[in-house]
Amino acid sequence: MHQNSTTDFSLRRLFYNQEVRSVAIQIITLAVICYLVFSIGQNVLVNLAAIGKDLSMNFLWVPAGYDITFQPFVDYGPTDTHFRAALVGLSNTLLVAVTGIILATILGFTLGVMRLSNNFLVSKLSQIFIDFTRNVPVLLHIFFIYGVIINLLPVPKKAEAISGVFYMTNRGIFAPAPTLEQGYEFVVGAFLIAVAGCFVLAKWAKNRQMKTGKIFPLFWTCLALIIALPVLTNMMIGGAIGVEVPKLKGFNFKGGLILRPEYVALWFALSYYTASFIAEIVRGGILAIHKGQKEAAHALGISPTRTLRLVIIPQALPLIIPPIASNYLNLTKNSSLAIAIGYFDIVATLGGISLMQTGKEVETMSLVLLTYLCLSLIISGAMNYLNHRVALKAR
C-alpha cells in the first residue's frame, strides 16, 4: 500500500514538472505527425496501385523527346533523357536566381539611397517607382517586359548595332562571346592571381590607412590589376581567349552570346520588382542609425559619400541582411513563374513537359519541391553566415 502511494506521488510529481511535461507533449506531437505522414503516404501508394501506377524514378532515363530553346550551360537534344532536360531546367533556374539577386541588390541599394537624397526630384521619382512596382503583381511585370521586347524591339534584319557588336532585337540580345583556345588556363590563372592580389592589396591599404590616415585608391588599382594582368597574359601566349562577334545570317544572328527574350524579361522583371522591396529595407536600415554617427563623421572632415560607405552602411548591414535574405528567397521562388512566358526552368521542364509525357505526377513534383527546398536552404545558410560575419562585435 505504501509502495503504491509512493509510486502515485512520483508520477504526479513528474506530471506537474514543467520540463518533463513539455518533453512528453513534444514526443506525443511528433508521434502523431509521423503517423499522419505515414498514413498519407500509405494512402497515396494504395491509390496509385489501384490505377496501375507505381512510384519509380526510372522515367528519368527515358528519352525526353522535346526541344529546349535556351540551354547556355548544358548541351541538350530531343534524344537526351528527362534527367538531362531537368539539368537544363535547373541550370536555367540557377541562372535567373543568381543574376537576379545580383541586379536586385545593386538596384535596391541604389534606390534606397536615392529615397534619402536631399534632391526633391530624385527622392520623389524613386519613391513613385518603388510604390508603383511594389503594388503591381510580379507576373504582370514579367508580361509587360516580355511584351515590350517582343513588340517594340526591331527584327534582326532591322536591328541597329550598339558599339558595332551589340544588337537588341525581338529575338533576344546578341553580344560578343569569348572563345577558348589552347592555353586559356594561363589566362584564367592570371585572373585568379589578380583577384587574390586585390585581397592582399585591400588588407595592406586598410592597415596603411589605420597607421597613417592616407587613403589608397583601392578600387581603381584593383580594377586595373584585374583587367591588365589577364589581358597581358593573353597577349603573351598568342591570344588563347578570343572574341566571337554575332553576325547576321539569313533572318537571324549567328554566333556570339545570345540572351533570349524570355530570360531577359524574367531576369529584369524579377530584379527590379525585388529591388523595390530591398530599397525600402535599405532606407529603413540607414534611418535606424543615429544621426550622431553622420554628424561625427562630417566633423572629422569625411565626405558624405565615404561617410555612407564607411560609417553608415557597415552599421546598418546587421539590420538590412535578414529581411533582404527573405527577398532573395522570394526572387528564387518567383522564378517558377517563368513557365508563363515559355522560359524553360525546372518547373517548365521536369514539372511541366516531363510530367505530362510520363504521367509521373508524384515523382516529378516531389523532385521540383525538393529542388526549391534545397535552393532556399542554401540561400538561407549563406545569408546567415554573412549576417554573422557583419554583426557588430561588442567591445
Coordinates of all heavy atoms in Angstrom, one line a residue, residues 277-320:
F277 N 11.5 46.3 -53.0 CA 11.4 45.9 -51.6 C 12.7 46.1 -50.9 O 12.8 46.5 -49.7 CB 11.0 44.4 -51.5 CG 9.5 44.2 -52.0 CD1 9.2 43.9 -53.3 CD2 8.5 44.3 -51.1 CE1 7.9 43.7 -53.7 CE2 7.2 44.0 -51.5 CZ 6.9 43.8 -52.8
I278 N 13.8 45.7 -51.6 CA 15.1 45.9 -50.9 C 15.4 47.4 -50.7 O 16.0 47.7 -49.7 CB 16.2 45.3 -51.8 CG1 16.1 43.7 -51.9 CG2 17.6 45.6 -51.3 CD1 17.1 43.1 -52.8
A279 N 14.9 48.2 -51.6 CA 15.2 49.7 -51.4 C 14.6 50.2 -50.1 O 15.2 51.0 -49.4 CB 14.6 50.4 -52.6
E280 N 13.4 49.7 -49.8 CA 12.7 50.2 -48.5 C 13.5 49.6 -47.3 O 13.5 50.2 -46.2 CB 11.3 49.7 -48.5 CG 10.4 50.5 -49.5 CD 10.4 52.0 -49.1 OE1 9.7 52.4 -48.2 OE2 11.1 52.8 -49.8
I281 N 14.0 48.4 -47.4 CA 14.8 47.8 -46.3 C 16.0 48.6 -46.1 O 16.4 48.9 -45.0 CB 15.1 46.3 -46.7 CG1 13.8 45.5 -46.7 CG2 16.1 45.7 -45.7 CD1 14.0 44.1 -47.3
V282 N 16.7 48.9 -47.2 CA 17.9 49.7 -47.1 C 17.6 51.1 -46.5 O 18.4 51.6 -45.6 CB 18.6 49.9 -48.5 CG1 19.8 50.8 -48.4 CG2 19.1 48.5 -49.0
R283 N 16.6 51.7 -46.9 CA 16.2 53.0 -46.4 C 15.9 52.9 -44.9 O 16.4 53.8 -44.1 CB 15.0 53.6 -47.1 CG 14.6 55.0 -46.7 CD 13.4 55.4 -47.5 NE 12.2 54.7 -47.1 CZ 11.3 55.1 -46.2 NH1 11.6 56.2 -45.5 NH2 10.3 54.4 -45.9
G284 N 15.2 51.9 -44.5 CA 14.9 51.8 -43.1 C 16.1 51.5 -42.2 O 16.3 52.0 -41.1
G285 N 17.1 50.7 -42.8 CA 18.3 50.4 -42.1 C 19.2 51.6 -41.9 O 19.7 51.8 -40.8
I286 N 19.2 52.4 -42.9 CA 20.1 53.6 -42.8 C 19.4 54.6 -41.8 O 20.1 55.2 -41.0 CB 20.2 54.3 -44.2 CG1 21.1 53.4 -45.1 CG2 20.8 55.7 -44.1 CD1 21.2 53.9 -46.5
L287 N 18.1 54.8 -41.9 CA 17.4 55.7 -40.9 C 17.5 55.2 -39.5 O 17.4 56.0 -38.5 CB 16.0 55.8 -41.3 CG 15.7 56.6 -42.6 CD1 14.2 56.6 -42.9 CD2 16.2 58.1 -42.5
A288 N 17.8 53.9 -39.3 CA 17.8 53.3 -37.9 C 19.2 53.7 -37.2 O 19.3 53.6 -36.0 CB 17.7 51.8 -37.9
I289 N 20.2 54.1 -38.0 CA 21.4 54.5 -37.4 C 21.3 56.0 -36.9 O 20.8 56.9 -37.6 CB 22.6 54.4 -38.5 CG1 22.6 53.0 -39.1 CG2 23.9 54.8 -37.9 CD1 22.8 51.9 -38.1
H290 N 21.8 56.2 -35.7 CA 21.6 57.5 -35.1 C 22.3 58.6 -35.9 O 23.4 58.4 -36.4 CB 22.2 57.5 -33.7 CG 21.8 58.6 -32.8 ND1 22.4 59.8 -32.8 CD2 20.8 58.8 -31.9 CE1 21.9 60.7 -32.0 NE2 20.8 60.1 -31.4
K291 N 21.7 59.7 -36.0 CA 22.3 60.8 -36.9 C 23.6 61.3 -36.3 O 24.4 62.0 -37.0 CB 21.3 61.9 -37.0 CG 20.9 62.6 -35.6 CD 20.0 63.8 -35.8 CE 19.7 64.5 -34.5 NZ 18.8 65.7 -34.7
G292 N 23.9 61.0 -35.0 CA 25.1 61.5 -34.5 C 26.3 60.8 -35.1 O 27.4 61.4 -35.2
Q293 N 26.1 59.6 -35.7 CA 27.2 58.9 -36.4 C 27.6 59.7 -37.6 O 28.8 59.9 -37.9 CB 26.8 57.5 -36.8 CG 26.5 56.6 -35.7 CD 27.7 56.2 -34.9 OE1 28.7 55.9 -35.5 NE2 27.6 56.2 -33.6
K294 N 26.6 60.2 -38.4 CA 26.9 61.0 -39.6 C 27.5 62.4 -39.2 O 28.4 62.8 -39.9 CB 25.6 61.2 -40.4 CG 25.8 62.0 -41.7 CD 24.5 62.0 -42.5 CE 23.4 62.7 -41.9 NZ 22.2 62.8 -42.7
E295 N 27.0 63.0 -38.1 CA 27.5 64.3 -37.7 C 28.9 64.2 -37.3 O 29.8 65.0 -37.5 CB 26.6 64.8 -36.6 CG 25.2 65.2 -37.1 CD 24.3 65.5 -36.0 OE1 24.7 65.4 -34.8 OE2 23.1 66.0 -36.2
A296 N 29.3 63.1 -36.6 CA 30.6 62.9 -36.1 C 31.6 62.7 -37.3 O 32.7 63.2 -37.3 CB 30.7 61.7 -35.2
A297 N 31.1 61.9 -38.3 CA 32.0 61.7 -39.5 C 32.2 63.0 -40.2 O 33.3 63.3 -40.7 CB 31.3 60.7 -40.4
H298 N 31.2 63.8 -40.4 CA 31.3 65.1 -41.0 C 32.2 66.0 -40.2 O 33.0 66.8 -40.8 CB 29.9 65.8 -41.2 CG 29.1 65.1 -42.2 ND1 27.8 65.3 -42.4 CD2 29.4 64.1 -43.1 CE1 27.3 64.5 -43.4 NE2 28.3 63.8 -43.8
A299 N 32.2 66.0 -38.9 CA 33.0 66.8 -38.1 C 34.5 66.4 -38.2 O 35.4 67.3 -38.1 CB 32.6 66.6 -36.6
L300 N 34.8 65.2 -38.6 CA 36.1 64.7 -38.9 C 36.6 65.0 -40.3 O 37.7 64.7 -40.7 CB 36.2 63.2 -38.6 CG 36.1 62.8 -37.1 CD1 36.0 61.3 -37.0 CD2 37.2 63.3 -36.3
G301 N 35.7 65.6 -41.1 CA 36.1 66.0 -42.4 C 35.9 64.9 -43.5 O 36.4 65.0 -44.6
I302 N 35.1 63.9 -43.1 CA 34.9 62.8 -44.0 C 33.7 63.2 -45.0 O 32.7 63.7 -44.6 CB 34.5 61.5 -43.3 CG1 35.6 61.1 -42.3 CG2 34.3 60.3 -44.3 CD1 35.3 59.9 -41.5
S303 N 33.9 62.9 -46.3 CA 32.9 63.3 -47.3 C 31.6 62.6 -47.1 O 31.6 61.4 -46.5 CB 33.5 63.1 -48.7 OG 33.6 61.7 -48.9
P304 N 30.5 63.1 -47.5 CA 29.2 62.4 -47.4 C 29.2 61.0 -48.0 O 28.7 60.0 -47.5 CB 28.2 63.3 -48.1 CG 28.8 64.7 -48.0 CD 30.3 64.5 -48.1
T305 N 29.9 60.8 -49.2 CA 29.9 59.5 -49.8 C 30.7 58.5 -49.0 O 30.2 57.4 -48.8 CB 30.6 59.7 -51.2 OG1 29.8 60.6 -52.0 CG2 30.6 58.3 -51.9
R306 N 31.8 58.9 -48.5 CA 32.6 58.0 -47.7 C 32.0 57.8 -46.3 O 32.1 56.7 -45.7 CB 34.0 58.5 -47.5 CG 34.8 58.6 -48.8 CD 36.3 59.0 -48.5 NE 37.0 58.1 -47.8 CZ 37.6 57.0 -48.2 NH1 37.5 56.7 -49.5 NH2 38.2 56.1 -47.4
T307 N 31.3 58.8 -45.8 CA 30.5 58.6 -44.6 C 29.5 57.5 -44.7 O 29.3 56.6 -43.9 CB 29.8 59.9 -44.1 OG1 30.8 60.9 -43.9 CG2 29.0 59.7 -42.9
L308 N 28.8 57.5 -45.9 CA 27.7 56.5 -46.1 C 28.4 55.1 -46.3 O 27.9 54.1 -45.7 CB 27.0 56.9 -47.4 CG 25.8 55.9 -47.8 CD1 24.7 55.9 -46.7 CD2 25.3 56.3 -49.2
R309 N 29.5 55.1 -47.0 CA 30.1 53.8 -47.3 C 30.9 53.2 -46.1 O 30.9 52.0 -45.9 CB 31.1 53.9 -48.5 CG 31.7 52.6 -49.0 CD 32.3 52.8 -50.4 NE 33.4 53.8 -50.3 CZ 34.7 53.5 -50.0 NH1 35.0 52.3 -49.7 NH2 35.6 54.4 -50.0
L310 N 31.5 54.0 -45.3 CA 32.4 53.5 -44.3 C 31.8 53.6 -42.9 O 32.3 52.9 -42.0 CB 33.7 54.3 -44.3 CG 34.6 54.3 -45.6 CD1 35.8 55.2 -45.5 CD2 35.0 52.9 -45.9
V311 N 30.8 54.4 -42.7 CA 30.3 54.6 -41.3 C 28.8 54.1 -41.2 O 28.5 53.3 -40.4 CB 30.3 56.1 -40.9 CG1 29.7 56.3 -39.5 CG2 31.8 56.6 -41.0
I312 N 28.0 54.6 -42.1 CA 26.5 54.2 -42.0 C 26.2 52.8 -42.5 O 25.6 52.0 -41.7 CB 25.7 55.3 -42.8 CG1 26.0 56.7 -42.4 CG2 24.2 55.0 -42.6 CD1 25.8 57.0 -40.9
I313 N 26.6 52.5 -43.7 CA 26.2 51.2 -44.2 C 26.8 50.0 -43.4 O 26.0 49.1 -43.1 CB 26.7 51.0 -45.7 CG1 26.0 52.0 -46.6 CG2 26.5 49.6 -46.2 CD1 24.5 51.8 -46.7
P314 N 28.1 50.0 -42.9 CA 28.5 48.9 -42.1 C 27.7 48.7 -40.8 O 27.5 47.6 -40.4 CB 30.0 49.3 -41.8 CG 30.4 50.2 -42.9 CD 29.2 51.0 -43.3
Q315 N 27.2 49.8 -40.2 CA 26.4 49.7 -39.0 C 25.0 49.2 -39.4 O 24.3 48.6 -38.5 CB 26.3 51.0 -38.3 CG 27.7 51.4 -37.7 CD 27.6 52.7 -36.9 OE1 27.0 52.7 -35.8 NE2 28.1 53.8 -37.4
A316 N 24.5 49.6 -40.6 CA 23.1 49.2 -41.0 C 23.0 47.8 -41.5 O 21.9 47.2 -41.5 CB 22.6 50.2 -42.0
L317 N 24.1 47.2 -41.9 CA 24.1 45.8 -42.5 C 23.4 44.8 -41.6 O 22.7 44.0 -42.1 CB 25.5 45.4 -43.0 CG 26.0 46.0 -44.3 CD1 27.4 45.5 -44.6 CD2 25.0 45.6 -45.4
P318 N 23.8 44.7 -40.3 CA 23.1 43.7 -39.5 C 21.6 43.9 -39.4 O 20.9 42.9 -39.2 CB 23.7 44.0 -38.1 CG 25.0 44.6 -38.4 CD 24.8 45.5 -39.6
L319 N 21.1 45.1 -39.7 CA 19.6 45.3 -39.7 C 19.1 45.0 -41.1 O 17.9 44.7 -41.2 CB 19.3 46.8 -39.4 CG 19.9 47.3 -38.0 CD1 19.6 48.8 -37.9 CD2 19.2 46.5 -36.9
I320 N 19.9 45.1 -42.1 CA 19.4 45.0 -43.5 C 19.4 43.6 -44.0 O 18.5 43.1 -44.7 CB 20.3 45.9 -44.4 CG1 20.0 47.4 -44.2 CG2 20.0 45.6 -45.9 CD1 21.0 48.3 -44.9

